[in-house]
Amino acid sequence: MNFTEITKKSFNTVADYILGNLQAGEEANVNLHAEESVFIRFNGSKVRQNTTVEQRTLSLLLQKDGKTASFSFSITGDETEDKKRADQWLAEARKECALLPEDPYQVPLKNNGVSDSTFKGALLAEEAVVAAITAPAAGVDLAGLYCAGPLISANKNSKGQSHWFATENFFMDYSLYLGEKAVKSVYAGTHWNQKEFEANLAQSKNQLSLMDRPKKTLAPGAYRTYLAPGAVAEMASMFSWGALSFSAYKQGNSALQKLADKEKSLSSLFSVRENFGMGLTHRFNGLGELAPETLNVIHQGQLQSFMTSTRSAKEYSVEANGADGGEYPRAMEILPGSLKEQDILKELGTGLYLSNLHYLNWSDRMNARITGMTRYACFWVENGEIVAPIADLRFDESLYDCLGENLLAVTDFQAVDPMVSTYESRAFGGKKVPGMLIKDFKFTL
Amino acid sequence: MLDLQRTLNQVKSDADWVSLRHVTEKTTHRRVRDEKIDGNSVYFDQGVMVEVLVNGHFGFAGTSDLTESGIKRALGKAIAMAKSGSSQKVHNFTTAQRPQAKGIYSSPVIRPIDSLSAKEITDIFVDATKAMKVSDKIISRSAGTMIVETSFHVVNSSGSEVQQNFSIVSTDFSATSGGPGETQTRSDNGGLARCFQVGAEVFNRADILARSKRIAEESLELLSADNCPDEAMDLLLAPDQMTLQVHESIGHPLEYDRILGDERNYAGWSFVKPEDFGNLQYGSKLMNVTFDPTIADAMASYAFDDSGLKATKEFLIKDGVLVRGLGGLESQARLNLPGVANFRSSSWNRAPIDRMANINLEPGTTKFQDMIASIERGVFMMANKSWSIDDYRNKFQFGCEYAKLIENGKITKTLKNPNYRGTTVKFWNGLKAVSENRETYGSPFCGKGEPNQVIRVGHTTPYCLFSNVEVFGA
């Protein structure tokens, strides 16, 4: 059996063991996150570090007498050992429930159905990865991370609900350097195709050749600016920092509070939705609830729905919409517009072409103002022609301006920005976003 | 119970060197909002990282399967990883990068964590959010903690055995007040900035209630405060903001793996060049910065790093001149520069990389009141709430929760939405006074690395006065 098959058997055994050992009045929800991963880190087109990681983590939510305890622990794939660990942590959860006060917003568990999806990929053999990447990168300075392997999320509860999602995927997240100037790309998917990777790399090399001109240093000010999908994706990540969370809104911490309260507006060209049809992640959340296939979040500049978890719904007496506890988008799509790729430079005219942004943060949350830096292939454009790469610039700009009346056009194409986060474990998901043309984008340093 | 030494003896291989790192970590989160339970969770993680040296290249394999067969399987993978990577390795490493180490380290706990029950902590937090209820304009009141009990046990084939046990408590109290068109949040020195190697003694009820009431009053005060002005002026930073300033504009740019370019694709690299060590006037002569893993309760105190190098206090910047960087033995060999014991991994499932640990600003000689008195027009900012700096760690912009205007040597009024921006070397060269007293804060969440790792850092700093800084409001 392979890792996925062993893990499925092990999860079913341990989860059923826990659920079968519940006492009267107890309900439980069990989640699994598991991965078998290869991580190879490159610097200067050479191998800096390589690691494999095999890990399986079980999370147990126990409810009893209106009280809630949540325990997570690692399991091994060995049934005897894992049952022993389950016994230990179930006992700890019971002790915790006995000690804690009642949880006023506890969500009663339900049976949200059954799903079972396993997607087999075609990944590079571990011993073939180094050559597959370094050979075509010969002659360029490449830094980045190759990551691949099976990734699993599963859920069961005491009401009979059961979900399983397993996939085998990879990403090669890299950048190429010409001294301090750089371009960035990511090649990701479920079936490695060497020719596709080499084409991706060749495109990056071509882009890097555009950087081989002296940098232009621009004074702070407001510039007509094109944000390529990579830059829009970075900006869109800020929507996950509480901006679209209903509980954050109720607690005064949503950056879109003024949009929700209709004190401010965004452009009718700007629409955001959750779209699980993109197939980047599974629809079930930590409680096994299924999100709708699509959910309009911002439609033509108007806020339609905050991300609302069942817990928030109970606290504030509203409807939930399948959001996970953190109330951030899991399958974000910014809808396309009408600007054609071949017209971007012409429509930009004279201004900045930004491939990427970096290290964003709210600088004034109540006014949805964000600061951050330009990064990678960013150019000065004059009369529709790229003139020179730019020395990096800091921006400080409100979404109500750049996605409001200053949003001139949205491209008719979108790019997928795959999730490459590997904190503690590999993450699912990604975004699909277009490019945007904006006037008077404000740079400060 | 895993017998690591016995396991090492059983899994001997043809690798040039083998190490086993067993990590157990129990993380407990407790949170109360508006006097009601808002989450309780316990996360127990354990696994073993097998590390080998083959053909001058280190290979790593982490597993949560602690059976003998699981560790043997990981050993096989680590050797295969080392072999496959060695054909294109960045450097030819030797066991000199893994010195023999023996010792035990434990956090200086006065009162063990398990001496306080879940109920007792929750009760204090319920009362803390009650203490924040100073006005109907307070719209959200929150109290939380993250308690981490972790153990790193390392044995290797060159005879090392190191056991390090950490008890870490981070607390987080905040109050948000709301008025027409705005909200203002005040926290307890910034989100989770109060994080220390301590025990249950940190849950001092009277102290927590007093701090909770004060931050609620200050959040209310911010609602009616003037915005921070937009102009260049003197900037006085409290230690809870200096923590972030030191972290971002000194700690990260001095990390050797950034200077070497390992981090370029993720967190970025550095404006600092190898030839800058011994030469660059990083700041004014008042600037003295150390790597110091010996501060008793600071977040990143330890006896050995994950290569086995003994951790000692070292000057990084002396009288404003850059003298040493933050690199472990691998980076020191690659750069041929002296470094420090900072080769650290977040857990059993990640390989170690260069990390900043405790980076501190040494105290000066000025009394705080004398600093205030010396300012003709300036802003005193406290508690970080926004941070952003470029990938070379040069152009930064930081925001704080709370500020005071200083005019003609006196604090005159409260200011809201204070921010400032600048460039690293110019900013530090504008350092014109350093207080004689210091405070310690830190962060449990410093992100870096590919694959990503979150690690703990501590910063002990004085109050610092900088001249001619661009400050601005909302």
Side-chain angles (χ1 to χ4, degrees):
Chain A
M1 285 198 291
N2 63 24
F3 178 83
T4 302
E5 292 160 346
I6 293 169
T7 303
K8 188 168 193 178
K9 184 169 178 291
S10 168
F11 170 67
N12 285 333
T13 301
V14 183
D16 291 346
Y17 179 75
I18 291 171
L19 298 175
N21 279 290
L22 295 178
Q23 296 169 355
E26 291 179 341
E27 299 287 351
N29 180 67
V30 182
N31 279 303
L32 172 79
H33 188 96
E35 68 178 73
E36 185 184 40
S37 299
V38 175
F39 300 111
I40 302 185
R41 188 178 205 197
F42 296 90
N43 181 10
S45 302
K46 292 186 177 297
V47 178
R48 168 64 190 105
Q49 272 176 329
N50 42 6
T51 309
T52 68
V53 174
E54 175 186 320
Q55 58 183 348
R56 303 171 175 91
T57 303
L58 205 72
S59 302
L60 161 69
L61 181 83
L62 183 71
Q63 298 180 340
K64 187 178 185 184
D65 300 333
K67 299 172 178 186
T68 308
S70 175
F71 280 75
S72 297
F73 52 98
S74 41
I75 57 171
T76 66
D78 177 273
E79 288 180 10
T80 308
E81 171 64 20
D82 291 344
K83 282 181 179 174
K84 204 160 61 178
R85 293 185 184 191
D87 283 336
Q88 179 196 342
W89 292 108
L90 182 58
E92 290 290 328
R94 285 180 175 132
K95 273 191 226 167
E96 178 107 344
C97 270
L99 278 173
L100 290 171
E102 280 192 28
D103 175 5
Y105 309 122
Q106 184 185 78
V107 177
L109 299 178
K110 290 198 310 188
N111 184 340
N112 294 290
V114 173
S115 66
D116 188 339
S117 302
T118 298
F119 299 96
K120 188 151 178 54
L123 307 178
L124 277 171
E126 287 177 18
E127 61 275 13
V129 176
V130 172
I133 289 165
T134 58
V140 290
D141 179 4
L142 176 148
L145 178 69
Y146 169 86
C147 173
L151 185 59
I152 299 164
S153 183
N155 170 278
K156 284 192 172 208
N157 75 13
S158 51
K159 297 293 189 186
Q161 167 183 291
S162 177
H163 296 293
W164 173 266
F165 182 87
T167 185
E168 292 176 342
N169 62 17
F170 70 87
F171 65 77
M172 176 63 201
D173 180 0
Y174 70 96
S175 38
L176 303 182
Y177 290 83
L178 200 61
E180 293 183 348
K181 292 175 280 193
V183 300
K184 167 102 178 152
S185 187
V186 59
Y187 172 57
T190 54
H191 291 64
W192 180 274
N193 181 313
Q194 186 67 17
K195 283 189 177 159
E196 281 181 9
F197 170 63
E198 289 177 12
N200 183 296
L201 193 60
Q203 193 177 12
S204 298
K205 286 180 183 174
N206 283 338
Q207 206 180 6
L208 191 65
S209 66
L210 288 172
M211 307 291 286
D212 194 13
R213 306 177 200 183
K215 276 184 187 175
K216 184 175 176 68
T217 300
L218 294 164
Y223 292 95
R224 193 173 176 93
T225 299
Y226 172 70
L227 300 181
V232 172
E234 285 293 321
M235 188 175 274
S237 297
M238 293 304 293
F239 286 107
S240 297
W241 284 35
L244 291 171
S245 157
F246 186 68
S247 62
Y249 168 66
K250 295 299 286 185
Q251 292 161 37
N253 293 316
S254 165
L256 295 181
Q257 185 170 330
K258 290 184 178 178
L259 181 70
D261 294 343
K262 302 199 184 303
E263 290 174 35
K264 296 266 191 179
S265 60
L266 297 176
S267 166
S268 59
L269 298 174
F270 184 69
S271 295
V272 178
R273 65 176 180 173
E274 280 279 83
N275 182 3
F276 286 90
M278 295 189 297
L280 297 173
T281 190
H282 47 84
R283 280 172 62 198
F284 59 88
N285 65 16
L287 286 174
E289 301 162 332
L290 291 179
E293 183 87 5
T294 60
L295 174 74
N296 281 337
V297 178
I298 296 171
H299 182 65
Q300 296 182 349
Q302 303 294 314
L303 185 78
Q304 302 286 299
S305 314
F306 275 110
M307 309 306 303
T308 310
S309 68
T310 323
R311 187 175 177 90
S312 285
K314 183 170 182 181
E315 179 173 358
Y316 300 112
S317 302
V318 294
E319 288 291 315
N321 54 23
D324 218 336
E327 298 189 333
Y328 49 81
R330 290 185 286 142
M332 184 195 285
E333 180 185 17
I334 298 179
L335 297 186
S338 57
L339 177 61
K340 295 191 182 314
E341 188 163 17
Q342 62 268 28
D343 294 335
I344 290 169
L345 291 178
K346 186 179 73 183
E347 291 299 319
L348 174 60
T350 295
L352 286 161
Y353 182 108
L354 305 183
S355 292
N356 216 295
L357 301 173
H358 172 60
Y359 216 139
L360 276 58
N361 204 332
W362 301 114
S363 57
D364 175 7
R365 194 181 286 253
M366 277 303 100
N367 290 301
R369 205 172 91 200
I370 294 171
T371 188
M373 292 299 300
T374 61
R375 197 182 191 192
Y376 298 112
C378 296
F379 300 100
W380 177 246
V381 175
E382 281 182 10
N383 300 319
E385 288 193 13
I386 288 178
V387 173
I390 60 161
D392 52 15
L393 281 168
R394 170 166 295 286
F395 68 91
D396 192 5
E397 175 65 278
S398 168
L399 296 181
Y400 293 123
D401 291 335
C402 68
L403 301 180
E405 62 182 17
N406 289 348
L407 179 60
L408 300 174
V410 177
T411 61
D412 66 352
F413 63 92
Q414 298 159 291
V416 172
D417 178 55
M419 177 66 88
V420 294
S421 174
T422 51
Y423 282 109
E424 295 178 352
S425 57
R426 284 160 57 205
F428 288 98
K431 295 187 280 290
K432 195 172 177 185
V433 299
M436 293 182 178
L437 183 64
I438 295 163
K439 72 170 180 181
D440 294 337
F441 198 80
K442 292 181 273 297
F443 297 88
T444 55
L445 186 63
Chain B
M1 190 70 181
L2 182 64
D3 184 336
L4 210 57
Q5 191 65 59
R6 186 173 153 269
T7 306
L8 179 70
N9 295 338
Q10 285 171 341
V11 298
K12 270 185 179 165
S13 70
D14 59 352
D16 299 326
W17 177 88
V18 179
S19 161
L20 301 180
R21 171 164 35 97
H22 179 217
V23 180
T24 63
E25 185 157 292
K26 183 181 176 189
T27 305
T28 305
H29 293 270
R30 307 210 178 279
R31 181 159 291 278
V32 168
R33 180 164 51 81
D34 300 338
E35 297 153 53
K36 297 183 182 70
I37 288 275
D38 193 38
N40 280 281
S41 64
V42 176
Y43 181 89
F44 184 79
D45 183 40
Q46 68 168 326
V48 166
M49 174 60 84
V50 180
E51 183 182 354
V52 300
L53 179 65
V54 178
N55 301 336
H57 184 71
F58 289 105
F60 299 85
T63 180
S64 59
D65 181 352
L66 304 185
T67 61
E68 188 183 320
S69 65
I71 292 174
K72 276 185 177 165
R73 193 167 64 249
L75 176 68
K77 286 186 176 181
I79 291 172
M81 280 273 106
K83 282 181 178 167
S84 72
S86 68
S87 63
Q88 298 289 335
K89 57 183 179 277
V90 294
H91 188 85
N92 191 40
F93 293 115
T94 69
T95 51
Q97 279 78 52
R98 298 292 186 273
Q100 192 189 61
K102 284 181 182 291
I104 296 174
Y105 170 88
S106 292
S107 298
V109 170
I110 296 170
R111 188 179 166 195
I113 285 295
D114 58 9
S115 67
L116 208 55
S117 73
K119 182 178 186 314
E120 287 170 304
I121 294 173
T122 302
D123 286 348
I124 293 171
F125 285 1
V126 167
D127 288 348
T129 62
K130 202 178 285 180
M132 294 179 205
K133 208 172 180 176
V134 296
S135 161
D136 290 342
K137 289 181 180 172
I138 305 286
I139 57 175
S140 182
R141 299 162 281 127
S142 177
T145 185
M146 180 171 75
I147 301 165
V148 182
E149 299 154 273
T150 186
S151 162
F152 278 57
H153 183 198
V154 180
V155 297
N156 66 36
S157 57
S158 47
S160 292
E161 177 149 22
V162 172
Q163 175 79 48
Q164 303 197 92
N165 307 305
F166 304 95
S167 172
I168 293 161
V169 183
S170 311
T171 57
D172 188 28
F173 302 90
S174 70
T176 300
S177 56
E182 76 168 312
T183 64
Q184 287 289 338
T185 298
R186 186 76 170 105
S187 71
D188 196 23
N189 299 110
L192 286 176
R194 294 181 72 95
C195 48
F196 311 102
Q197 285 191 29
V198 288
E201 64 272 14
V202 81
F203 295 104
N204 180 307
R205 182 189 175 83
D207 192 32
I208 286 173
L209 297 195
R211 294 195 332 249
S212 299
K213 183 166 183 286
R214 178 181 55 77
I215 62 175
E217 289 167 346
E218 288 180 353
S219 97
L220 202 59
E221 188 190 334
L222 285 169
L223 271 188
S224 55
D226 288 348
N227 257 314
C228 180
D230 297 359
E231 62 183 270
M233 61 170 87
D234 278 358
L235 174 65
L236 176 60
L237 296 180
D240 56 10
Q241 171 59 20
M242 281 301 298
T243 288
L244 187 277
Q245 184 70 51
V246 166
H247 180 90
E248 300 286 7
S249 70
I250 301 174
H252 281 308
L254 297 193
E255 288 166 341
Y256 280 170
D257 60 342
R258 294 182 68 114
I259 294 168
L260 283 159
D262 292 352
E263 278 287 315
R264 284 180 296 172
N265 185 58
Y266 182 61
W269 55 15
S270 177
F271 71 89
V272 175
K273 305 275 188 289
E275 56 270 26
D276 289 335
F277 291 95
N279 298 306
L280 177 66
Q281 188 73 40
Y282 206 101
S284 78
K285 290 187 184 309
L286 297 174
M287 184 187 190
N288 287 287
V289 178
T290 56
F291 168 87
D292 190 356
T294 67
I295 302 261
D297 60 350
M299 276 289 269
S301 290
Y302 50 89
F304 299 93
D305 74 4
D306 287 338
S307 74
L309 185 60
K310 188 166 173 51
T312 54
K313 176 177 177 175
E314 304 291 347
F315 271 85
L316 306 174
I317 295 171
K318 192 111 173 76
D319 302 329
V321 177
L322 178 65
V323 293
R324 184 184 289 255
L326 294 166
L329 290 172
E330 289 191 12
S331 294
Q332 291 174 40
R334 291 164 71 194
L335 272 173
N336 197 25
L337 283 171
V340 297
N342 72 329
F343 196 54
R344 298 197 290 152
S345 61
S346 58
S347 188
W348 60 270
N349 56 8
R350 294 289 181 265
I353 55 176
D354 291 336
R355 286 302 202 149
M356 68 176 79
N358 292 334
I359 305 302
N360 305 330
L361 200 64
E362 296 298 303
T365 55
T366 310
K367 292 188 187 312
F368 177 74
Q369 286 310 324
D370 291 343
M371 293 173 96
I372 298 284
S374 74
I375 299 168
E376 191 176 326
R377 181 169 170 79
V379 179
F380 174 32
M381 295 191 192
M382 287 158 260
N384 180 261
K385 74 170 177 183
S386 174
W387 59 98
S388 174
I389 187 165
D390 69 47
D391 48 343
Y392 290 88
R393 300 281 143 171
N394 182 32
K395 295 180 176 179
F396 61 80
Q397 178 171 315
F398 302 140
C400 293
E401 289 180 355
Y402 185 86
K404 294 281 190 183
L405 185 66
I406 303 167
E407 296 170 294
N408 301 317
K410 288 190 170 54
I411 288 174
T412 53
K413 61 181 177 182
T414 301
L415 300 172
K416 67 184 177 186
N417 305 321
N419 294 272
Y420 64 99
R421 60 171 76 102
T423 53
T424 296
V425 171
K426 182 178 176 217
F427 179 81
W428 281 106
N429 275 280
L431 176 66
K432 63 178 187 180
V434 179
S435 75
E436 59 184 8
N437 54 320
R438 298 199 296 177
E439 294 169 17
T440 297
Y441 299 98
S443 171
F445 299 124
C446 175
K448 195 181 157 186
E450 290 179 306
N452 305 146
Q453 307 190 42
V454 163
I455 215 156
R456 302 170 188 109
V457 296
H459 301 292
T460 301
T461 77
Y463 292 78
C464 288
L465 177 60
F466 299 88
S467 62
N468 194 32
V469 179
E470 186 184 345
V471 306
F472 57 99

